[in-house]
Amino acid sequence: MSMLQGGAPGRQIWGVAPLLLAAGDALAARFGAVSVRGELSGYTRAASGHCYFTLKDSDGAAGALRCAMFRRAAALVDFQPRDGQQVELRGRLAVYEARGELQLVVEAMQQVGAGSLYEQFLRLKARLEAQGLFSPERKRPLPAYPQRVGVVTSLGAAALHDVLTALQRRAPQVEVIVYPSLVQGPEAPASLVAALQRAAQRQEVDTLILCRGGGSLEDLWAFNDERVVRAVADSPIPLVCGVGHETDVSLCDFAADLRAPTPTAAAELVSPARADSLDRLATLAHRLQTLVHRRLDSQAQHLDRRAMQLARPAQALARHGQRLQQLDHRRQQALRQAMQQAALGQQQAASRLHRALAQQLSRAQARLQQVGERLPRAPQAPLARADGRLQHLAGRLHALDPGRVLQRGYAWVTGEDGHAITSATAVQPGSRIAAVFADGRADAVVQEVHPQTPVARPSPDAAV
């Protein structure tokens, strides 16, 4: 460090370069790495890749800080910086000696709020990915030749103009239906969901394009809203997402069936090039013409063969006559064989019937003979048994006859009422009684009654 001594004793005089260098060292020692927030102004990128701009306070204060961001640090920025954008810078203060200006050497740049938004983006992406919304198995192929293409975007967006221009250039035959929606702001998610649902309900297009132009993470945040991402994943119509520029990424890109780097690229992906379609049609027409000619040639040869056959009708009639004779001969043979088989079957049936009748007649005659032999003997045994039974009953009846008892000297005493008197206690003196004997009856009047102890009397069976 060079200094000049002169003037008053102890007075230090600096050279310009040493003073700037010392100021730079003091700033580095005092502040080190610093972070600062402000608004970009005069942003330029040199051919070398270095970026130069001014950082101002967003509240309109007069302060301004010159900034330099070298190529290596600029390559790490994940968005496109532009004037008026709010950013947060991290770097070190230094003095640019060539002009003696204070400047900030920027080592990192991010949009204001981008840190928290990006964290939300990553968390939501991880959660939806775990639920399978971004699974490759959900992706569907796009129709090769769509007739109608639906576009979900803002009517005033430049992206709509880009899509319509690309479709008109590549496939003018394709009809375009626009489903208007907000694409930025707090009401954009609900508007996008409603537009997607409207397209799904109408079912009038073959493919959908969801698009808008580029912007900051905040500008594109509607396409990171969970409601919109789920609506994209649930769309029954194959969907291409063309949001932002090539470096912009949204969650709708992962949920869509196909991601396009730009809206124009989305239009190119859903529509086949007109020239390619015409070439394809020409190829198909040539193949069809070849097949038709080949078929016509084959039919012409077949017609020639038929014409040659018709040119000799006598031969054809002769062949048919021979064929008829053969068929008639075979018919007669079949008829004779059928008649012979029928006659033989009839004879066999008659023989079996005759044998069966003879056997039945023989069995009937034998049965009749047995019955005739048993018939004379059949009444004798029952009559003998009945006679023996009758004699037995007559003997018992004779033994029980009360007349035989009376013949042995007994009498049957009855009262005036005709009932038998079996005890002396049943009569009183003066009672009229009748005594029935074997040969007659005697009426009497009881004079005296002498009851006594009853003695055993023989039963009628014992008397007999």
Side-chain angles (χ1 to χ4, degrees), residues 307-335:
M308 293 176 63
Q309 293 174 358
L310 291 176
R312 295 184 290 273
Q315 295 179 358
L317 290 175
R319 286 196 301 272
H320 289 307
Q322 293 176 359
R323 179 62 176 168
L324 287 175
Q325 291 177 0
Q326 293 175 356
L327 293 175
D328 184 64
H329 180 67
R330 290 172 59 184
R331 180 186 62 79
Q332 293 178 2
Q333 287 182 345
L335 182 60

Side-chain angles (χ1 to χ4, degrees), residues 49-132:
H50 305 326
C51 300
Y52 303 97
F53 53 90
T54 300
L55 189 67
K56 298 179 180 180
D57 284 328
S58 58
D59 57 2
L65 178 63
R66 296 288 297 176
C67 301
M69 183 169 59
F70 300 120
R71 180 176 59 187
R72 183 174 181 180
L76 300 177
V77 177
D78 58 357
F79 65 97
Q80 179 62 44
R82 65 181 186 276
D83 291 350
Q85 195 169 23
Q86 296 291 319
V87 295
E88 290 182 0
L89 306 179
R90 183 171 54 83
R92 53 186 176 82
L93 287 173
V95 176
Y96 182 45
E97 300 175 359
R99 289 198 298 267
E101 295 178 347
L102 179 68
Q103 69 174 4
L104 178 68
V105 180
V106 179
E107 297 174 351
M109 176 191 295
Q110 69 177 17
Q111 300 179 72
V112 171
S116 59
L117 287 179
Y118 191 64
E119 290 177 0
Q120 294 179 32
F121 175 90
L122 294 178
R123 285 195 300 268
L124 182 57
K125 179 178 180 294
R127 180 161 60 85
L128 296 181
E129 188 171 13
Q131 295 176 7

Side-chain angles (χ1 to χ4, degrees), residues 167-190:
L167 290 175
Q168 179 63 28
R169 171 175 49 84
R170 289 176 58 85
Q173 76 281 358
V174 175
E175 183 180 352
V176 180
I177 299 178
V178 180
Y179 300 96
S181 171
L182 299 176
V183 294
Q184 185 173 340
E187 298 178 359

Side-chain angles (χ1 to χ4, degrees), residues 332-346:
Q332 293 178 2
Q333 287 182 345
L335 182 60
R336 285 195 297 269
Q337 290 178 359
M339 294 178 64
Q340 291 175 0
Q341 292 177 356
L344 180 60
Q346 185 177 7

Side-chain angles (χ1 to χ4, degrees), residues 284-407:
L284 293 175
H286 178 70
R287 290 177 56 186
L288 181 61
Q289 187 177 12
T290 302
L291 291 174
V292 170
H293 288 165
R294 191 176 300 169
R295 184 63 181 270
L296 289 175
D297 293 341
S298 175
Q299 293 298 323
Q301 293 178 5
H302 181 72
L303 184 61
D304 291 342
R305 289 194 298 270
R306 293 300 184 186
M308 293 176 63
Q309 293 174 358
L310 291 176
R312 295 184 290 273
Q315 295 179 358
L317 290 175
R319 286 196 301 272
H320 289 307
Q322 293 176 359
R323 179 62 176 168
L324 287 175
Q325 291 177 0
Q326 293 175 356
L327 293 175
D328 184 64
H329 180 67
R330 290 172 59 184
R331 180 186 62 79
Q332 293 178 2
Q333 287 182 345
L335 182 60
R336 285 195 297 269
Q337 290 178 359
M339 294 178 64
Q340 291 175 0
Q341 292 177 356
L344 180 60
Q346 185 177 7
Q347 292 177 1
Q348 293 176 351
S351 177
R352 289 195 298 271
L353 180 60
H354 179 71
R355 288 196 299 271
L357 291 175
Q359 291 176 359
Q360 291 181 0
L361 182 60
S362 177
R363 287 194 294 269
Q365 290 176 349
R367 179 65 176 167
L368 183 61
Q369 184 177 358
Q370 292 176 359
V371 172
E373 292 176 354
R374 293 168 57 186
L375 185 61
R377 300 191 300 271
Q380 297 178 3
L383 288 176
R385 289 192 296 273
D387 184 59
R389 176 67 175 167
L390 182 60
Q391 291 179 3
H392 174 71
L393 294 175
R396 292 185 63 185
L397 181 62
H398 181 70
L400 298 175
D401 186 6
R404 295 186 62 189
V405 178
L406 296 179
Q407 289 176 1

Side-chain angles (χ1 to χ4, degrees), residues 143-151 162-177 206-207 209 264-278 281:
Y145 299 97
Q147 297 181 356
R148 293 188 185 90
V149 173
V151 182
D162 296 340
V163 169
L164 295 178
T165 301
L167 290 175
Q168 179 63 28
R169 171 175 49 84
R170 289 176 58 85
Q173 76 281 358
V174 175
E175 183 180 352
V176 180
I177 299 178
D206 306 316
T207 309
I209 296 177
T264 300
E268 293 176 351
L269 288 173
V270 302
S271 61
R274 185 172 182 272
D276 296 340
S277 299
L278 292 176
L281 287 175

